[in-house]
């Protein structure tokens, strides 16, 4: 074992208090019996990609959705598992550290020991690299003692975080066989769970007995789909950042002479920036999704912010707070195109100091226009997924610089009559990542750990642990599991050089839905936030008392209980089968046929945009059925 991992922490009084907190389990996970209901087979959300996903996942695509049931549930087809032979399970962190990750392991460990004290849980040290090298630590109560409800990933650590190449997959399989693992639990985000799905398929194909389970843990909050409502860590990240933002808002209101530009984490999606805005009410936020949808240039963004500064000055307000996601720079079309040219030249071996002379004329003009510090940052080698090193590109300083230049110009021309523009910049990138997890993330992660055991006990492979109805108390959560392949989509086009992924099924980051209720709430309040200084300070993380049970605004307003709705639909279908039996009256049969014809026609149109159905043809069909 590596000496740095799994060692007892020295805890403060608050940490000791948190380590004694024990999350509540929903009724469906209590006791020593696993009750699982496997219903209809799942399908791809995008029907156009179904054929490709089937081809890549012949053994794990189309598996049924799983629901775990409480003891009192009367479901005749449920599988009831009372015998729990001893099993061996491996677990690893695979992705950037996210508050609450330790509680997934704690929940999994407790579930294993409750169902059979002889069960073994092995943690892989150093993420996927530790998996390939077979570096393990047996997880025990003593090891867990100082990591319960604590932040970070330092109990096991993480490294390169990918299980993708043939060599890596084969190495993982060899280790699972050598250690005789019955299950492998991968804790991570979009990329890690995509890897988990491919690993599960390979294991099924080669008849490796190890079952692979994924857990949605990522601070960016972008592993969202019809089955996954929230990610472990997102709640904490947003609450900690919202307090920092609120402190800055109070400072801005006190001095009344500074504009603060704050960059937040969020690479491909702006969920953190949106949620922090809804919690702390800064004056303005620029979402990457808005910029991409409207194809806003860097000059458009600058003008938009300058107009806002000018509007505030007309209300005698010469201060403000503006949020930007770190992925914003890649959402600006011309900057993205410039980055792709730079990355292409870097891959060809062109040295950074010679890049500018080999850019196309338009790219060269844009490059020379940008401040010197940004030019240096754009020349950094891209990440392994071909994206820029977003945490190193000071977008907030670039935007502040451009806004200051424009405001000075307006001041000189006399079109702006406010005070001289002063900007202060911050990057809240790592300050929240190692925080103590919020009460919600402690509970959510711990319960997901238990769900992982139930998935393994049910013999399922290639599934992700899921919990829905999360906006309600834990005793009303719906626990289940969904095949990861059912969450996948297939990209048919790409931006930049990472085009090898086009046509390959994967989990893709879910961006902010500009038609969703969270964005609608932001839009409704945008003018008030901009002009009225309705700053809101949620305060530091609360573990008891007011605010302790507060959940993300976006989680509460979206109302996403997909699994609950699937269950409700199944209940309706069962009722129809009960009512409409051979021997029922003609009136009952006609009514059922008419209703079902209407429903199937509507669903056909919705699920197939190219469908040729028209309202008139549907009406004719319904009349025909009735007569």
């Amino acid at each position: 074992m590596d000496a740095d991992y799994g060692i007892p922490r020295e805890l403060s009084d608050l940490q000791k208090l948190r380590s004694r907190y024990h999350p509540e389990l929903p009724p469906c996970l209590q006791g020593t019996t696993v009750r699982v209901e496997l219903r209809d087979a799942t399908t791809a959300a995008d029907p156009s990609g179904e054929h490709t996903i089937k081809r890549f996942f012949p053994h794990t695509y189309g598996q049924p959705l799983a629901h775990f049931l409480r003891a009192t549930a009367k479901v005749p087809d449920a599988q009831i598992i009372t015998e729990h032979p001893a099993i061996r399970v491996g677990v690893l962190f695979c992705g950037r550290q996210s508050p609450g990750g330790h509680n997934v392991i704690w929940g999994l460990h407790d579930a294993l020991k409750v169902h059979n004290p002889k069960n073994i849980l092995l943690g892989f040290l150093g993420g996927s690299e530790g998996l390939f090298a077979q570096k393990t630590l047996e997880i025990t109560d003593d090891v867990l003692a100082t990591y319960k409800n604590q932040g970070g990933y330092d109990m096991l650590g993480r490294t390169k975080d990918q299980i993708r190449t043939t060599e890596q997959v084969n190495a993982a399989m060899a280790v699972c066989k050598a250690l005789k693992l019955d299950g492998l639990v991968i804790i991570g985000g979009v990329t890690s769970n995509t890897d988990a799905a491919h690993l599960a398929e390979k294991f099924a194909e080669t008849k490796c007995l190890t079952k692979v389970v994924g857990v949605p843990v990522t601070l960016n909050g972008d592993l969202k789909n019809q089955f996954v409502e929230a990610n472990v860590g997102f709640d904490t990240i947003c609450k900690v950042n919202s307090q920092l933002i609120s402190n800055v808002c109070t400072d801005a209101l006190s001095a009344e002479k500074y504009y603060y530009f704050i960059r937040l984490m969020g690479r491909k999606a702006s969920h953190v920036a949106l949620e922090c805005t809804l919690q702390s009410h800064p004056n303005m936020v620029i979402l990457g999704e808005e910029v991409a949808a409207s194809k806003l240039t860097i000059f458009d963004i600058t003008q938009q912010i300058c107009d806002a500064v000018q509007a505030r000055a007309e209300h005698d307000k010469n201060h403000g707070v503006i949020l930007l996601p770190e992925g914003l720079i890649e959402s600006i079309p011309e900057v993205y195109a410039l980055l792709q040219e730079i990355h292409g030249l870097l891959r060809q071996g062109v040295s950074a100091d010679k890049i500018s002379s080999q850019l196309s004329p338009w790219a060269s003009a844009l490059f020379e226009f940008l401040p010197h510090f940004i030019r240096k940052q754009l020349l950094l080698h891209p990440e392994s997924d071909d994206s820029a090193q977003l945490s190193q590109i000071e977008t907030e300083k670039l935007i502040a610089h451009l806004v200051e230049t424009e405001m000075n110009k307006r001041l000189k021309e006399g079109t702006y009559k406010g005070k001289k523009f002063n900007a202060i910049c911050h990057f809240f990138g790592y300050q929240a990542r190692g925080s103590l997890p919020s009460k919600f993330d402690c509970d959510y992660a711990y319960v997901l750990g238990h769900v992982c055991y139930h998935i393994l006990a049910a013999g399922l492979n290639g599934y992700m642990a899921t919990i829905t109805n999360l906006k309600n108390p834990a005793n009303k959560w719906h626990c289940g599991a969904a095949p990861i392949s059912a969450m996948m989509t297939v990209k048919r086009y790409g931006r930049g050089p990472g085009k090898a992924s086009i046509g390959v099924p994967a989990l893709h980051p879910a961006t902010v839905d500009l038609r969703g209720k969270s964005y609608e709430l932001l839009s409704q309040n945008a003018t008030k936030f901009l002009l009225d200084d309705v700053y809101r300070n949620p305060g530091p993380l609360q573990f008891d008392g007011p605010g302790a049970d507060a959940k993300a605004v976006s989680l509460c307003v979206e109302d996403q209980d997909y699994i609950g709705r699937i269950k409700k639909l199944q209940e309706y279908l069962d009722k129809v089968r009960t009512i409409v039996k051979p021997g029922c009256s003609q009136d009952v049969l006609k009514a059922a046929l008419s209703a079902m014809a209407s429903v199937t026609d509507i669903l056909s149109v919705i699920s197939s945009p190219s469908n040729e159905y028209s309202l008139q043809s549907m009406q004719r069909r319904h009349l025909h059925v009735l007569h």
Side-chain angles (χ1 to χ4, degrees):
M1 170 189 136
D2 287 17
D4 293 333
Y5 296 122
I7 60 174
R9 293 175 164 188
E10 182 176 340
L11 302 183
S12 69
D13 289 342
L14 175 61
Q15 286 178 301
K16 289 175 184 174
L17 182 67
R18 290 306 297 154
S19 69
R20 292 194 289 271
Y21 169 72
H22 202 290
E24 175 188 357
L25 278 180
C28 61
L29 301 180
Q30 294 174 8
T32 56
T33 300
V34 172
R35 298 171 181 82
V36 59
E37 179 190 19
L38 301 174
R39 292 293 295 252
D40 298 330
T42 52
T43 187
D46 178 8
S48 63
E50 183 177 15
H51 176 74
T52 304
I53 300 172
K54 273 184 180 176
R55 184 161 52 83
F56 274 86
F57 296 93
H59 299 89
T60 54
Y61 179 75
Q63 297 187 98
L65 199 62
H67 306 280
F68 297 109
L69 309 170
R70 62 179 68 199
T72 56
K74 293 179 173 57
V75 179
D77 296 332
Q79 181 183 356
I80 300 173
I81 303 166
T82 55
E83 297 296 321
H84 300 276
I87 60 173
R88 295 167 59 84
V89 179
V91 63
L92 70 152
F93 291 125
C94 200
R96 289 171 175 82
Q97 47 268 40
S98 195
H102 285 142
N103 273 31
V104 176
I105 297 177
W106 177 26
L108 174 59
H109 170 269
D110 279 8
L112 283 163
K113 295 302 181 182
V114 161
H115 289 88
N116 189 329
K118 294 181 180 178
N119 288 336
I120 299 293
L121 179 60
L122 298 176
F124 288 101
L125 303 175
S128 53
E129 294 293 327
L131 170 65
F132 307 143
Q134 201 172 317
K135 290 184 178 180
T136 63
L137 165 67
E138 184 173 348
I139 306 298
T140 63
D141 283 323
D142 288 342
V143 169
L144 284 165
T146 58
Y147 292 92
K148 297 174 180 178
N149 303 313
Q150 309 298 313
Y153 276 6
D154 49 319
M155 182 170 74
L156 298 180
R158 39 81 52 161
T159 51
K160 195 173 181 181
D161 308 322
Q162 69 173 39
I163 313 171
R164 196 166 309 148
T165 67
T166 302
E167 292 76 15
Q168 290 169 338
V169 169
N170 288 339
M173 184 160 55
V175 169
C176 289
K177 287 179 176 178
L179 294 175
K180 298 180 180 177
L181 295 184
D182 299 280
L184 178 66
V185 175
I186 295 176
I187 299 170
V190 171
T191 304
S192 303
N193 278 281
T194 297
D195 289 349
H198 285 282
L199 196 62
E201 177 64 28
K202 183 66 175 179
F203 283 12
E205 177 192 334
T206 58
K207 295 184 170 48
C208 175
L209 299 179
T210 308
K211 310 296 184 187
V212 182
V213 175
V215 191
V217 181
T218 170
L219 57 88
N220 292 318
D222 57 4
L223 203 177
K224 293 173 75 173
N225 52 55
Q226 65 271 42
F227 304 108
V228 182
E229 287 186 11
N231 305 148
V232 173
F234 178 76
D235 185 75
T236 304
I237 292 290
C238 292
K239 283 176 177 167
V240 173
N241 277 329
S242 292
Q243 187 211 355
L244 296 175
I245 293 162
S246 301
N247 293 348
V248 171
C249 289
T250 302
D251 190 78
L253 192 57
S254 302
E256 295 188 314
K257 62 180 179 180
Y258 297 117
Y259 270 88
Y260 292 89
F261 289 76
I262 301 174
R263 177 166 49 108
L264 299 169
M265 300 195 97
R267 298 173 62 79
K268 304 294 185 186
S270 309
H271 297 292
V272 173
L274 173 59
E275 178 62 32
C276 288
T277 301
L278 295 175
Q279 288 193 26
S280 59
H281 303 178
N283 299 106
M284 197 172 184
V285 60
I286 306 291
L287 303 179
E289 290 82 352
E290 292 176 312
V291 172
S294 301
K295 295 183 171 58
L296 299 180
T297 67
I298 196 165
F299 303 104
D300 294 330
I301 296 168
T302 302
Q303 292 298 318
Q304 194 177 95
I305 296 174
C306 288
D307 290 345
V309 171
Q310 190 155 335
R312 285 179 58 77
E314 290 167 4
H315 288 74
D316 199 27
K317 295 180 178 180
N318 297 286
H319 61 276
V321 178
I322 300 166
L323 304 187
L324 311 167
E326 67 176 350
L328 176 65
I329 195 77
E330 284 196 326
S331 299
I332 303 169
E334 72 275 21
V335 179
Y336 184 84
L338 170 61
L339 280 166
Q340 294 314 304
E341 280 203 30
I342 291 172
H343 294 169
L345 292 168
L346 287 171
R347 272 190 300 275
Q348 292 170 28
V350 178
S351 61
D353 59 336
K354 293 197 170 80
I355 292 278
S356 60
S357 63
Q358 297 195 35
L359 292 170
S360 63
W362 75 266
S364 179
L366 176 59
F367 187 74
E368 292 303 320
F369 163 79
L370 296 171
H372 179 70
F373 70 91
I374 286 290
R375 285 185 232 160
K376 285 182 64 178
Q377 292 162 9
L378 294 182
L379 292 173
L380 295 171
H381 275 270
E383 304 274 16
S384 58
D385 64 354
D386 291 308
S387 64
Q389 291 194 39
L390 297 173
S391 63
Q392 304 301 315
I393 298 176
E394 296 172 308
T395 312
E396 73 283 10
K397 290 186 179 179
L398 169 62
I399 300 294
H401 169 80
L402 295 175
V403 170
E404 183 174 11
T405 302
E406 173 63 18
M407 294 314 299
N408 288 340
K409 177 171 168 273
R410 294 186 186 189
L411 188 63
K412 189 175 179 181
E413 293 171 347
T415 54
Y416 167 65
K417 295 182 171 57
K419 292 181 181 178
K420 187 178 186 308
F421 181 84
N422 291 299
I424 296 176
C425 298
H426 295 287
F427 172 40
F428 294 164
Y430 302 99
Q431 293 90 333
R433 221 160 67 159
S435 168
L436 286 173
S438 66
K439 184 174 180 291
F440 173 80
D441 277 329
C442 288
D443 295 345
Y444 184 33
Y446 181 79
V447 175
L448 281 172
H450 274 263
V451 172
C452 289
Y453 173 79
H454 278 59
I455 294 170
L456 295 172
L460 304 177
N461 178 40
Y463 278 70
M464 187 185 296
T466 63
I467 303 172
T468 60
N469 205 32
L470 286 169
K471 70 175 186 177
N472 288 306
N475 61 7
K476 294 184 178 178
W477 288 356
H478 299 148
C479 300
I484 303 174
S485 58
M487 307 175 189
M488 291 184 161
T489 52
V490 181
K491 279 193 175 180
R492 286 175 179 74
Y493 60 91
R495 297 174 69 191
K499 293 182 179 177
S501 62
I502 299 173
V504 178
L507 294 177
H508 292 107
T511 54
V512 169
D513 182 1
L514 299 182
R515 296 176 297 176
K517 293 180 181 177
S518 299
Y519 184 73
E520 182 184 347
L521 183 61
L522 174 66
S523 300
Q524 290 169 353
N525 289 280
T527 302
K528 183 169 70 172
F529 289 176
L530 177 62
L531 297 176
D532 295 347
D533 290 352
V534 288
Y535 303 143
R536 177 179 179 273
N537 195 327
L541 278 182
Q542 303 295 307
F543 300 116
D544 197 11
D549 294 311
K551 294 174 182 176
V553 176
S554 52
L555 176 66
C556 295
V557 301
E558 291 295 349
D559 191 22
Q560 298 171 305
D561 186 14
Y562 185 85
I563 289 182
R565 291 191 177 104
I566 285 283
K567 290 280 290 178
K568 180 61 70 176
L569 174 63
Q570 290 168 343
E571 288 172 11
Y572 279 124
L573 294 174
D574 289 341
K575 284 181 182 177
V576 170
R577 292 190 187 98
T578 302
I579 296 168
V580 187
K581 289 182 176 179
C584 67
S585 71
Q586 282 279 12
D587 289 341
V588 169
L589 184 58
K590 283 181 180 179
L593 283 170
S594 175
M596 297 306 285
S598 175
V599 168
T600 52
D601 277 342
I602 291 169
L603 295 179
S604 296
V605 171
I606 293 173
S607 62
S608 186
S610 60
N611 204 298
E612 302 280 327
Y613 278 98
S614 67
L615 182 60
Q616 291 80 9
S617 67
M618 283 193 284
Q619 289 172 335
R620 283 196 299 271
R621 180 173 171 182
H622 300 161
L623 288 170
H624 175 73
V625 169
L626 284 169
H627 294 95

